[in-house]
Amino acid sequence: MHTQVAIIGAGPAGLLLSHLLHLNGIASVILESRSRNDIEATIRAGVLEQGTMDILLESGVGARMQSEGVVHHGIELAFGGRRHRIDLSELTGRAITVYAQHEVIKDLVAARLAADGKILFEVSDVSLHDLQGESPSVHYTHQGEPARLLADFVIGCDGFHGIARPSMPQHLRQDFQRSYPFGWFGILVDAPPSSEELIYAQHQRGFALVSTRSLTVQRLYFQCDPKDDVKHWSDDRIWSELNTRLECADGWALKEGKIFQKSIIGMRSFVSTPMQHGRLYLAGDAAHIVPPTGAKGLNLAVSDVRLLARGFEQFYKKGSQELLAGYTETALKRVWRAEHFSWWMTSMLHTFADASPFQQQLQRAELEYVVSSRAAATALAENYVGLPL
Ligand code: RFL
Ligand code: PHB
């Protein structure tokens, strides 16, 4: 089998890239290790930047997001028993949309399949070959049969644990990383929203986040030991912890309900450079990870593939490699900005077990500054809604 662009991974990065290429008349094949059901049911991100919404709408896959997603014009920061609103739209003229990542995945898979796009699910043994020459190939197993896909380019959109990044020559790669001594305990709850906007709460017992999925399903998180086990957390214990961390003097209270999913995720910051070598390009979590406090991961995946789609359009229509050659440099500018923002939000809102009383006072001073200075609030807001592409 031959195609122009071979894409490894049907996450947001791989699916959107394939869709954008198709709109430019460029053929691609996606190889995905999991089943369609699996990728459409995995619960991950929820916050889309304005730029991400714009791309989904402009490229014709935003209709359901527009009708079912909810536009939020602000977020709240809670600390010291008080809530403080950051008015994103007033400060930046932009907004965010809360629409689950797996819904974006469903919309993109449906659009690809409706256009006869090729996605091979449940492939295994994927390996990349001849990445230096003009005809790289991907070897894999599908339905028990070994197979080979020849392409002009190979794009690694296979997430943090994929095979594309390790296929880059080790001696050319430089990795930057930081892991955090805490994780997030995430739950999904059958309940009405407790708040019209997301609440990011700092408390001495640890961070908590009130997010939402719909009028009937809520998404809540709280800082935990990354090595803890969900089995140690009864529903009562979870509600008690969340209520303590979110307690507010104004009488606001969480609306509780039936918890139907519990999970623990680790937190890390990671960047691998370069994001390209020969005919191999990396996009999304395959090249970089941010802690979820800034809600940036999915949005970065989208901005990477937007750059790649433009690069391939220029290559196939004009024969120029200029945009593709500059991919790493252009993408990393945005990546590092998001890395900094996500690290900063994480540092400002979480409890660090080894923080001295001095550092605790600095953390509080920073929060006070962000909610009382228009300049500081604007710095948070413009990063949160996403800087222009
Ligand atoms: P993905 O989504 O991991 O997709 C990679 C795909 O590649 C497949 N794969 C392979 N296929 C073939 N062969 C192989 N060898 C393969 N190895 C892997 C995988 O099965 C998978 O289908 O990467 P992508 O496309 O780069 O997208 C990145 C985003 O998923 C990620 O950054 C976000 O989910 C991060 N994130 C958030 N981002 C936001 O922008 N806003 C948020 O509000 C937000 N909240 C979150 C988050 C991530 C979270 N978790 C679970 C880490 C909240 C959480 C809890
Ligand atoms: C979510 O709803 O899953 C979510 C929202 C905001 C974040 C991270 C995750 O910063």
Side-chain angles (χ1 to χ4, degrees), residues 122-136:
E122 298 179 80
V123 302
S124 56
D125 311 319
V126 177
S127 61
L128 313 184
H129 302 268
D130 305 317
L131 298 166
Q132 287 287 20
E134 289 197 351
S135 44

Side-chain angles (χ1 to χ4, degrees), residues 8-14 31-34 39 43-48 101 105 123 126 157-163 184 213 219 221 265-266 283-286 288-290 292 294-301:
I8 318 299
L31 303 179
E32 165 60 49
S33 57
R34 294 187 295 153
I39 64 164
I43 307 292
R44 293 186 80 176
V47 174
L48 308 183
Q101 177 168 330
I105 297 270
V123 302
V126 177
C157 298
D158 50 351
F160 184 68
H161 299 288
I163 52 92
W184 277 14
R213 284 292 177 269
R219 182 70 161 147
Y221 299 97
I265 59 160
D285 280 14
H288 41 74
I289 294 283
V290 285
K296 285 283 159 267
L298 164 62
N299 295 295
L300 279 181

Side-chain angles (χ1 to χ4, degrees), residues 1-80:
M1 188 163 47
H2 180 273
T3 190
Q4 289 174 302
V5 180
I7 299 173
I8 318 299
L15 287 164
L16 182 62
L17 177 61
S18 178
H19 175 66
L20 296 176
L21 291 175
H22 163 71
L23 296 181
N24 276 307
I26 301 165
S28 65
V29 172
I30 305 180
L31 303 179
E32 165 60 49
S33 57
R34 294 187 295 153
S35 69
R36 179 177 177 184
N37 270 345
D38 226 10
I39 64 164
E40 292 188 346
T42 305
I43 307 292
R44 293 186 80 176
V47 174
L48 308 183
E49 291 177 356
Q50 176 109 39
T52 299
M53 289 143 57
D54 293 346
I55 293 173
L56 297 176
L57 283 170
E58 281 160 21
S59 67
V61 287
R64 217 162 57 88
M65 172 194 71
Q66 206 167 28
S67 64
E68 293 176 25
V70 180
V71 177
H72 286 213
H73 295 284
I75 57 169
E76 292 193 350
L77 297 184
F79 57 93

